[in-house]
Amino acid sequence: MDMDGDWPLPRPNTLIKVGRRLPGSALTGTSSIASTFSSLATPVIVDAVQRAKELATKSDAEGFHQLRISFRKLRALYWAYSPYLGEEVTAHATEEFRQLAEVAGGTRDWDIAGELLEVAKEKRASIELLVTAAREKRAQAVVHSQTVISGVDVEAFLNDVLLRAQTTLESRCNDLPIRAFAEERVRLAQRALKKRSRRAARSESVAEEELHDVRKAGKKLRYLLEFFQPVIKGEYGRKIKELASVQDKLGQFNDIAASEALIRSTTFNEVPPEVVLESLQWLEKQKCRRMRAASRRVRAMGG
């Protein structure tokens, strides 16, 4: 990922105070599609804005991680409402959310890599040099994330995209009830997860990309179930827990794979190449082990 690339965010025309709830009704099966969108999106936006303000002066890795999750949830929500938002509006908003999520996640990525290298250091003391270098890269990532986030008026931007979406939905589906629509979008997300899981399960050797696709599809379904659980029929609490369990296994694999890719793509001027190679060899072994565990869960789900 090119963290230094330029990607201008749209400047807002209208600002809504985030602390105030947008017009909408309580979440029930008879609520309109339009009013339910604002009810679901507003709490996520409130959380994102608060975290963005805190991270302007703090370097809390968990804060950056939670901000990334907020943007991922917004991507899932915009996908859910895309039939009425339209392809162009959805694609534009979700791309902006994706880029902001990547910026927010830069610090967290180095934290994960650093934690893994600390474990590797217990086996190979020479990796200490790379551990120190990773701490420096983490500090640089903090500055970069804070600079980008501070340069974007996150509150104005999020309120603007929310207002635009709300206006569009009110003009297209203000009188349509949410329940049938929500159930259909959840079914589509379930179908996508099952398709990706079965594709991975049929492979003799599950590829990293296939696991990544399953992970993304599982996250989308989980977020949608969390959003729509109050308005759809059925008890999905157990399903959400199952998805969380699978995501945990896939997340452990992803941490290793992402850390390996991060170290491979980074230049460490003060670290001998053989030390970097040694760390990559250790990460490769750990990745294979976690990949087998993740593959077993995916095969079970696909079966």
Side-chain angles (χ1 to χ4, degrees), residues 199-211 288 291-292 295-296 298-299:
R199 181 186 301 155
R202 286 195 299 265
S203 302
E204 292 185 7
S205 178
V206 181
E208 289 186 33
E209 184 177 348
E210 290 175 327
L211 289 178
C288 290
M291 187 172 184
R292 287 193 295 270
S295 297
R296 285 193 294 269
V298 170
R299 289 182 191 280

Side-chain angles (χ1 to χ4, degrees), residues 23-134:
S25 57
L27 256 64
T28 67
T30 57
S31 299
S32 73
I33 294 174
S35 66
T36 305
F37 176 83
S38 66
S39 297
L40 295 173
T42 300
V44 183
I45 288 178
V46 169
D47 183 70
V49 169
Q50 184 60 38
R51 291 188 185 280
K53 289 179 177 179
E54 292 174 353
L55 292 170
T57 56
K58 297 180 181 179
S59 61
D60 176 38
E62 183 62 21
F64 281 113
H65 177 55
Q66 292 301 322
L67 181 58
R68 176 166 57 178
I69 289 176
S70 292
F71 289 128
R72 286 173 175 171
K73 287 183 176 181
L74 287 172
R75 290 185 71 195
L77 192 63
Y78 268 69
W79 174 86
Y81 285 83
S82 60
Y84 292 106
L85 288 174
E87 184 177 339
E88 183 177 350
V89 170
T90 302
H92 177 72
T94 54
E95 177 60 16
E96 301 294 353
F97 297 150
R98 183 191 66 79
Q99 291 175 337
L100 281 169
E102 288 186 351
V103 171
T107 300
R108 176 62 176 166
D109 290 342
W110 276 112
D111 274 309
I112 293 172
E115 291 169 2
L116 290 168
L117 291 173
E118 286 283 359
V119 176
K121 186 183 68 174
E122 297 176 3
K123 304 291 185 180
R124 299 171 173 83
S126 60
I127 293 180
E128 172 64 35
L129 288 170
L130 189 57
V131 172
T132 301

